[in-house]
């Protein structure tokens, strides 16, 4: 299996989990903030939805300028779901067929003329597209817990959902 195929397999598996978490959000939750320094739930959820496609497109370039971060506020949970589907489709399109050679080549982030850091594209995809995505999904599960929303199974049972429990045949 090529590296891009491996990344795409993991992306597909993790997309299913991300959908389960995002499905728990209601429109009335979008403005919730657990702390004044935190993003709103809607801003965080929209960020989660857009990470895969945006990072995949950025990571296959050789050199990029450091982004300026702005958190748009979604108007509805449907906007978040639509953004996720578009983002996943973009990530799959970008990563499909990318050679191992390209994934091992260097990626550099610049701030004007100053190099911030440089690493293999594969590392950028693993750390920013995937690990960063999981980090924010974990934050979102805490927001949902604060709102007393049942947390779905993520990597196994949650306190609210156990897919491993025997089903009552009754």
């Amino acid at each position: 299996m090529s590296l891009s195929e491996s990344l795409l397999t993991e992306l597909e598996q993790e997309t299913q989990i991300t959908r389960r978490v995002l499905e728990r959000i209601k429109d009335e939750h979008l403005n919730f903030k657990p702390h004044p320094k935190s993003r709103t739930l809607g801003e965080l959820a929209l960020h989660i939805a857009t990470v895969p496609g945006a990072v995949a497109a950025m990571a296959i370039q050789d050199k990029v300028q450091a982004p300026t971060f702005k958190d748009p506020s979604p108007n509805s949970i449907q906007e978040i779901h639509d953004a996720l589907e578009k983002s996943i489709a973009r990530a799959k399109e970008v990563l499909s067929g990318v050679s191992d050679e390209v994934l091992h080549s260097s990626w550099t982030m610049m701030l004007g003329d100053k190099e911030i850091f440089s690493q293999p594209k594969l590392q950028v995809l693993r750390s920013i597209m995937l690990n960063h995505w999981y980090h924010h999904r974990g934050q979102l599960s805490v927001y949902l817990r604060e709102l007393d929303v049942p947390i779905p199974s993520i990597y196994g049972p949650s306190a609210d959902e156990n897919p491993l429990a025997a089903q009552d045949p009754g």
Side-chain angles (χ1 to χ4, degrees):
M1 176 183 289
S2 71
L3 293 171
S4 66
E5 290 169 331
S6 178
L7 286 169
L8 287 165
T9 298
E10 184 172 349
L11 178 67
E12 186 56 41
Q13 291 169 343
E14 295 296 330
T15 297
Q16 301 310 315
I17 297 169
T18 300
R19 282 189 186 113
R20 284 199 305 267
V21 175
L22 292 176
E23 286 169 355
R24 301 297 169 105
I25 301 170
K26 305 289 184 232
D27 283 334
E28 59 267 21
H29 299 149
L30 295 178
N31 292 319
F32 171 74
K33 259 182 135 167
H35 187 275
K37 292 182 180 179
S38 299
R39 292 172 163 151
T40 67
L41 186 146
E43 290 166 346
L44 178 59
L46 188 57
H47 179 69
I48 291 166
T50 59
V51 160
V55 174
M58 176 189 70
I60 63 159
Q61 298 177 48
D62 292 333
K63 190 182 286 190
V64 298
Q65 283 294 319
T68 54
F69 294 101
K70 181 180 180 236
D71 286 318
S73 296
N75 295 311
S76 69
I77 186 58
Q78 188 59 52
E79 183 180 338
I80 295 166
H81 291 303
D82 293 346
L84 177 67
E85 298 311 315
K86 182 179 178 183
S87 177
I88 296 302
R90 177 70 175 133
K92 288 178 178 179
E93 175 188 335
V94 168
L95 296 175
S96 291
V98 173
S99 71
D100 288 1
E101 181 182 355
V102 167
L103 291 174
H104 285 297
S105 67
S106 185
W107 178 88
T108 303
M109 179 174 280
M110 305 291 292
L111 185 58
D113 293 337
K114 181 182 177 191
E115 181 178 312
I116 303 297
F117 67 95
S118 186
Q119 58 188 209
K121 292 176 172 87
L122 178 62
Q123 182 62 32
V124 174
L125 289 162
R126 293 268 343 128
S127 64
I128 303 175
M129 185 181 78
L130 296 173
N131 296 347
H132 165 243
W133 198 34
Y134 310 151
H135 159 75
H136 285 308
R137 190 176 64 200
Q139 286 181 311
L140 182 58
S141 70
V142 173
Y143 280 41
L144 294 173
R145 176 61 73 215
E146 290 292 315
L147 290 167
D148 202 27
V149 173
I151 306 300
S153 168
I154 294 176
Y155 293 120
S158 73
D160 304 306
E161 184 178 286
N162 185 354
L164 306 175
Q167 298 295 317
D168 182 5

